[in-house]
Amino acid sequence: MRILIVLLCCQALLACAVFNTSTRRSTLNDTMQSWINSTETELISDWGVPDKSYTLNNGDKIVSYLSFVHPGRYCEQKFLIQRGILTKWGHSNCDLYFSNSKDISKTIPIPKPTL
């Protein structure tokens, strides 16, 4: 009986060590939000030339990057650029979580798309 109690205590302690409840995995939304207030030049330097670009009547631009997800499905990530600065973002058909995502504080809410 003592061995069972010791094993249960060890298992409970291990579970606490493995599951850190103060963090969450970063998402695509976190990555997209991190680009807000960056310049168009910084984005292109890092991501390359966009796959699609559209200039609005007021001079603002929407740029889109497409990436292959699986046959018949592409992820589209887009940014609104106003006066050379990224101000809004959105995505469609994209996976929210990455296999290489990082742990970040759980107190940081998952950002919502703005475009």
Side-chain angles (χ1 to χ4, degrees), residues 50-71:
D51 296 300
K52 294 194 268 182
S53 179
Y54 182 77
T55 303
L56 303 172
N57 288 337
N58 64 2
D60 294 349
K61 275 199 262 183
I62 297 176
V63 297
S64 296
Y65 292 88
L66 300 172
S67 58
F68 178 78
V69 177
H70 58 73

Side-chain angles (χ1 to χ4, degrees), residues 2 18 24-25 41-42 45 59 64 70 74 78 93 98-99 106 108:
R2 286 184 182 170
V18 171
R24 66 172 176 82
R25 302 300 284 172
T41 302
E42 290 169 327
S45 293
S64 296
H70 58 73
Y74 284 85
K78 51 195 166 207
N93 298 318
F98 301 109
S99 59
K106 199 175 212 172
I108 300 170

Side-chain angles (χ1 to χ4, degrees), residues 3-4 7 11 14 27 32 35-36 44-45 51 70 72 91 97-98 102 109-110:
I3 292 176
L4 181 60
L7 287 174
Q11 188 176 16
L14 181 60
T27 66
M32 298 290 286
W35 280 96
I36 294 303
I44 291 172
S45 293
D51 296 300
H70 58 73
H91 57 75
Y97 295 94
F98 301 109
K102 299 176 179 139
I110 297 174

